[in-house]
Amino acid sequence: MNSKKKDTGSTDRISNLPEALICHILSFLPTEDSAWTSLLSRKWRYLFAYSPNLNFDASVKRFHPGTSRRVRTLILSVLTSFVDRVLVWRGDAAVNKFSLKCGQGVDQERVNHWILNVLERGVSDLDLHVTLDGGPLPAKVFESKSLVRLRIESENIHGVDVKDVLLPKLKTLYLNRVMLGEAEDWFEKLLSGCHVLEELALINVYSDIWKRSVSSKTIKRLTLSCADCDNIPDTVWFDTPNVVYLDYSDYVGVKYTKVNFGSLVEARIDLKMNSDQRAHAVFGHLVGNARDFLMGICNVQTLYLSAHTLEVLTFCCESTPVFKNLIHLTIQGDKTGWESLPALLKNCPNLETLVFQGLRHRYRINCEDVNGCICNFSGGIPACLSSSPVKVLKIMRFGVYDGIENQMEQIKHFLETMPRLEKLTIYYESTIHQLMMM
């Protein structure tokens, strides 16, 4: 019987791969790690520099807390020189993704030079996490014909010298703690230059603090967080008919001029009262009206409400709208009043799953009324529970706070009064994070 002799010699199969494929493999590594492959052979010496994705980390966080300032300065100098060399070695080669993390100690002009360099090479994915003391980032960031994804994040308030916005291919825009300008409505200016934008996240973006205006027919996912100061917006305008996911955190506005979320499927809402509104709410007075906003999202199917929003429903909403399509509701039920829950649950006729993230609530005078609070289990049955369509009830973070006996009484009350309840799941959270199923 003839048999073929096995090749027992060592074969460098990876080095025999096409260089384009090797560069693609290296693109999944941080650029500094892939640079070690240059020690393998002459062929590998500069291959890492031609990876379509460049990922540099020159942030102070990477250092050990005990690292001296002199050593940090030396390391940052080496890292920044390394970035310079990589960009030179690449020549005119295109860049698909450029990711940069850098903080204090890195020269601002150098950072701007790197950004402009990759913009000229037609970068499509630009990810900047910069915390610097210098001037603003270059305005060219918002004038790129190649960018598909843009992310700018900072640990302090970082400026961008925006003059014109022209991002014809941009589909994802994420800005966190960025100063865009003053007086003008920069939200509107941004969107006017993004014709195919599908995902927008504006988190603590500082521009006109008195106005929120988001108008786009292309956005499908919207995250807007404006509650970093104590200012109530005068007007709020949402004309986003194709948004399917909304994450909105803000203070209750004076006027909701337009709220159009015709395609909304899932929403996470964290509406707050500012210090003045909260002071008046102590006396039980209505201090605002968020009903127009809630009416604009009432077709949602999955809804998350923060504890702050429960207070807004109590003190800043004349009446609760009907959520006819809502099938899943999550409520942050810790350390807040539950006065708004009876009306809310009563106006969710098709609700199937109800989730409480905590069962510890603030006792108020309305708790003594049968239909004033769902915590009432000493007298009659609240109408919102006796007619509840809920089939699945989940209790999260059970055991985190004191008063476990009261929480058990509340759960018993749910079991006895919710007629269609089929399944109860309790997540018991302690130092060992136990899980209890019932």
Side-chain angles (χ1 to χ4, degrees), residues 284-411:
H285 303 309
L286 279 177
V287 294
N289 190 8
R291 192 175 190 278
D292 288 340
F293 171 76
L294 295 172
M295 285 293 297
I297 67 168
C298 66
N299 60 328
V300 69
Q301 298 177 28
T302 300
L303 180 61
Y304 170 93
L305 297 179
S306 69
H308 295 120
T309 309
L310 293 185
E311 291 185 324
V312 166
L313 286 171
T314 301
F315 299 107
C316 306
C317 190
E318 294 177 351
S319 60
T320 304
V322 176
F323 293 86
K324 62 180 180 179
N325 296 329
L326 191 64
I327 59 175
H328 186 115
L329 174 63
T330 297
I331 295 171
Q332 185 182 10
D334 290 340
K335 299 182 181 180
T336 187
W338 286 0
E339 301 98 318
S340 59
L341 285 185
L344 174 61
L345 295 178
K346 186 178 180 180
N347 287 356
C348 301
N350 297 303
L351 187 63
E352 296 180 358
T353 301
L354 177 61
V355 181
F356 281 93
Q357 290 189 344
L359 277 180
R360 187 188 186 191
H361 85 297
R362 185 177 302 166
Y363 180 86
R364 292 187 172 125
I365 189 65
N366 288 353
C367 294
E368 298 178 2
D369 183 8
V370 172
N371 289 317
C373 183
I374 65 169
C375 76
N376 190 304
F377 43 81
S378 59
I381 302 174
C384 66
L385 295 182
S386 62
S387 60
S388 171
V390 171
K391 297 179 181 179
V392 178
L393 178 63
K394 295 182 180 180
I395 310 297
M396 314 294 292
R397 306 189 69 203
F398 182 84
V400 174
Y401 303 106
D402 297 332
I404 293 180
E405 292 183 3
N406 290 334
Q407 294 180 44
M408 288 300 297
E409 286 294 324
Q410 180 66 67
I411 293 173

Side-chain angles (χ1 to χ4, degrees), residues 167-211:
L167 299 166
K169 294 184 179 180
L170 195 71
K171 293 186 177 181
T172 301
L173 175 61
Y174 180 100
L175 302 178
N176 187 358
R177 298 187 69 80
V178 174
M179 174 70 77
L180 293 178
E182 299 178 357
E184 293 186 59
D185 186 357
W186 287 97
F187 294 121
E188 183 177 346
K189 186 173 183 178
L190 273 176
L191 294 175
S192 66
C194 304
H195 308 300
V196 295
L197 192 64
E198 296 180 357
E199 184 171 356
L200 173 64
L202 301 177
I203 302 173
N204 298 328
V205 173
Y206 297 83
S207 57
D208 183 1
I209 61 176
W210 306 111
K211 183 179 180 182

Side-chain angles (χ1 to χ4, degrees), residues 220-224 238 243-248 261 264 266-269 293 297:
K220 297 178 181 179
R221 296 179 64 87
L222 174 61
T223 299
L224 184 61
F238 288 106
V243 166
V244 296
Y245 174 82
L246 172 66
D247 188 343
Y248 181 47
F261 290 103
L264 194 61
E266 181 178 352
R268 299 177 64 87
I269 307 300
F293 171 76
I297 67 168

